[in-house]
Amino acid sequence: MIQHHVKKVSHFLFSLLLFYKYNYSYVLKMTDSSKLHNFPRFCIDTTNTLDDVVKLYNELLITYRQKHPNSSDVYFCRSVLNTEVLRHMFLHGRSEVAKWMIQTLNTHDIQLENTYLFYISCIKGELESAKLIYQVMNELNFPIDINENGGYIFVTTCLHGELEVAKWLYQLGNKTSNPIDLYHAHDS
């Protein structure tokens, strides 16, 4: 039953990645800008301040609006500030840029895939990134429920062999009102 659950989650994640990749590629073609293509790398570069990132984002948005006056800013925002870019901000310790991105997404009423972001960091063994995501999401009132869907984050982290992250998740779960149950079969 666990394998079936993991397959369902994996299929969902793959579909989500394709969606983001398609949207980003489409917006890249629409803006025809090397600056847009390099935006994720620009954000990761620690020599660029948050003000630099915001300025470049706004320049890209203005270019997008000029070329496509009838298109929605939401589409642009969703494509540029996607979950994968956010994950890399956390991975590279750029929490201030990540916070700005999350707030910008929230301004456009885009549902943040915070559980997905956290899940990917956990199953890839990115402990420091996962800790930072958990902390920032709580600070911004986007709490992550590590017990969601029968604890699939914990289970799949274990199945991926990321024991340090799994230990941290278990300790985190014990601090909540609904701790992770290691003896639950997860097949209900």
Side-chain angles (χ1 to χ4, degrees):
M1 189 64 173
I2 291 175
Q3 287 179 333
H4 175 69
H5 185 64
V6 171
K7 283 182 183 178
K8 282 176 41 181
V9 170
S10 297
H11 178 70
F12 166 75
L13 294 175
F14 181 71
S15 299
L16 196 60
L17 281 173
L18 285 178
F19 171 77
Y20 282 126
K21 186 174 183 179
Y22 172 77
N23 278 346
Y24 185 70
S25 298
Y26 182 69
V27 168
L28 188 60
K29 287 177 190 173
M30 289 175 68
T31 58
D32 191 32
S33 170
S34 62
K35 286 183 179 179
L36 179 62
H37 182 69
N38 291 316
F39 184 73
R41 277 188 237 123
F42 185 84
C43 293
I44 291 169
D45 185 348
T46 55
T47 61
N48 297 319
T49 66
L50 177 58
D51 289 339
D52 295 334
V53 172
V54 173
K55 182 180 175 187
L56 178 57
Y57 176 81
N58 288 330
E59 286 175 19
L60 292 169
L61 182 58
I62 289 168
T63 302
Y64 176 81
R65 285 176 181 162
Q66 289 170 344
K67 289 185 176 187
H68 308 282
N70 298 327
S71 293
S72 168
D73 289 356
V74 172
Y75 187 73
F76 176 82
C77 181
R78 181 184 297 136
S79 300
V80 175
L81 304 181
N82 64 48
T83 307
E84 199 57 28
V85 173
L86 262 175
R87 189 178 74 79
H88 284 285
M89 295 310 103
F90 284 113
L91 187 60
H92 292 279
R94 298 298 308 253
S95 60
E96 75 284 354
V97 175
K99 283 181 183 179
W100 170 78
M101 287 182 177
I102 292 165
Q103 290 166 337
T104 302
L105 289 167
N106 191 37
T107 301
H108 287 288
D109 292 326
I110 295 171
Q111 183 181 4
L112 184 63
E113 297 289 342
N114 60 337
T115 303
Y116 166 75
L117 182 66
F118 183 70
Y119 171 82
I120 292 297
S121 289
C122 288
I123 66 168
K124 288 188 174 227
E126 300 164 352
L127 180 59
E128 293 307 312
S129 178
K131 286 179 177 180
L132 194 55
I133 292 167
Y134 188 82
Q135 173 193 340
V136 168
M137 293 303 187
N138 281 326
E139 286 174 9
L140 295 174
N141 291 323
F142 291 104
I144 295 172
D145 179 6
I146 62 170
N147 294 310
E148 185 178 60
N149 294 326
Y152 79 89
I153 293 174
F154 176 75
V155 171
T156 53
T157 299
C158 291
L159 290 172
H160 279 84
E162 301 300 340
L163 298 181
E164 288 302 310
V165 178
K167 286 180 198 175
W168 173 71
L169 287 171
Y170 183 73
Q171 291 169 348
L172 197 59
N174 283 338
K175 294 177 184 175
T176 67
S177 60
N178 187 16
I180 294 172
D181 181 4
L182 292 177
Y183 301 103
H184 187 312
H186 294 284
D187 60 358
S188 51

